[in-house]
Amino acid sequence: TLVADPMEPHYGGRYVLQVGGDRFAETVIGDTVGICRWSTPGRAVQLNVAGGVISRFNLTTEHNSLEVSDFTAAAPVDIHWGGVHTVRTGVWHTSSHLGDDLIARLGVKPIRRSGDSLRALYSWTRHKDLRLYGGGGFIFNIQGMRGRTTLQAGGEWYGPRVLKGAAQVFAAHDLQLFQRVQWTPSYNARTGLRFGDSKRIAAARVFLEYFSGHQYFLQFMEMRENRWTLGINFEVGNPTR
C-alpha cells in the first residue's frame, strides 16, 4: 500500500477544502488481498487481487451531491528479495463515472473514460522506517483520453512512537506525472499518526494532507486543484507494520 497515493485501495474518508473553492468529502472503499504465495529463503512471490471505489461529494450543495466515482480492479504480483527489495507489477483497470446528482444539477453529458494498464513499481525498504519507490505504467486499452504513459515516485518515513507508545508519527510523499495532461506533475504530501493494536488485527491513520495538480478523478482530469485534507483510513486483517 502506498500511503500518500490518494487512489490506492483502502478504507477511509477525507474532508477536502479547496484553496479558494468548494468543500468536499471523499470516501474510499477497497482493499488488496493476497491469494497465494511462493517462497524460498530470501525470496518470495505473491499473487494478489485488489479493487475499490473512490467517490467525491460536494458539501456546498443542498443535498451533498455525488460528483464522481472512480472504480479500480487489479491483479498485482509482488516479487520480494533480499529483505529490502520489492517489485509490484500487473494489470489495472480504472473507470470513471459522473454522479447522477452532478448530471442533474449541471446538465452535463457524461464522457466514458476508462483504461486498462500494465504497471510496475519498485520499492526499497530500510528497517521498516523508510521506503522509497518509483515506477510507471502504460495504458494499452484507453477510452475517452489521450496519453498512455504514467510515471510515479515517492517516499515514506516512520518516526518515533508517541502517546505512550499507542501511535507512531509518519510522513509520506507521492509524485505522479501523466502524459494525458502533458506531464504536469501531481504532488501529494501526507503526515499524521498511525494507531495500531498489539495483536495486529487492525490499524488506523489520522492525517493532514496537501495536494497540488490535476485532479485524480478521470472525469475531472483537465481541472487543476490545490487543496488541504483531513482524513482517516483503516487497515484490517493483519496490517503489515
Side-chain angles (χ1 to χ4, degrees):
T1 299
L2 302 180
V3 174
D5 185 346
M7 297 298 286
E8 188 84 355
H10 63 274
Y11 303 96
R14 303 192 281 260
Y15 173 80
V16 177
L17 180 61
Q18 284 184 340
V19 177
D22 292 338
R23 295 175 291 109
F24 299 94
E26 292 180 0
T27 60
V28 189
I29 300 175
D31 208 345
T32 300
V33 179
I35 299 299
C36 53
R37 185 179 180 94
W38 301 269
S39 61
T40 60
R43 295 177 175 85
V45 177
Q46 179 169 306
L47 173 64
N48 311 280
V49 293
V53 56
I54 176 172
S55 300
R56 174 175 282 201
F57 300 84
N58 192 326
L59 301 183
T60 61
T61 61
E62 182 178 357
H63 300 292
N64 298 331
S65 66
L66 173 63
E67 302 274 284
V68 63
S69 294
D70 278 20
F71 296 83
T72 298
V77 175
D78 295 336
I79 305 169
H80 308 275
W81 73 95
V84 296
H85 307 286
T86 299
V87 169
R88 169 166 287 187
T89 186
V91 179
W92 271 256
H93 169 80
T94 303
S95 61
S96 185
H97 307 270
L98 291 176
D100 292 339
D101 298 335
L102 178 69
I103 294 173
R105 189 175 82 248
L106 300 182
V108 297
K109 184 179 180 179
I111 301 172
R112 181 175 175 81
R113 285 181 168 169
S114 65
D116 300 308
S117 61
L118 291 170
R119 300 184 188 178
L121 192 78
Y122 166 79
S123 66
W124 174 83
T125 305
R126 189 195 72 171
H127 303 304
K128 296 186 178 182
D129 62 352
L130 177 67
R131 177 165 72 155
L132 304 175
Y133 60 85
F138 178 80
I139 305 174
F140 60 87
N141 180 27
I142 192 169
Q143 289 187 315
M145 301 179 290
R146 292 185 178 181
R148 296 176 180 268
T149 307
T150 65
L151 298 173
Q152 185 174 14
E156 302 165 5
W157 169 79
Y158 288 86
R161 302 197 70 87
V162 295
L163 302 179
K164 297 182 179 180
Q168 187 175 20
V169 176
F170 73 90
H173 303 266
D174 184 76
L175 177 68
Q176 299 190 46
L177 298 97
F178 303 97
Q179 188 182 19
R180 63 177 180 252
V181 291
Q182 292 75 52
W183 302 111
T184 305
S186 293
Y187 171 69
N188 198 54
R190 179 179 293 185
T191 186
L193 296 175
R194 182 184 185 275
F195 297 84
D197 65 90
S198 58
K199 297 181 180 179
R200 296 179 62 196
I201 298 173
R205 301 176 193 266
V206 180
F207 59 86
L208 173 68
E209 181 179 83
Y210 176 74
F211 175 87
S212 178
H214 284 266
Q215 283 201 30
Y216 35 78
F217 294 101
L218 295 182
Q219 290 288 345
F220 298 155
M221 68 182 192
E222 296 90 353
M223 303 178 187
R224 288 189 59 88
E225 179 178 66
N226 294 312
R227 50 104 168 137
W228 290 93
T229 300
L230 287 172
I232 184 171
N233 61 36
F234 301 95
E235 306 167 39
V236 295
N238 194 25
T240 55
R241 290 191 60 80

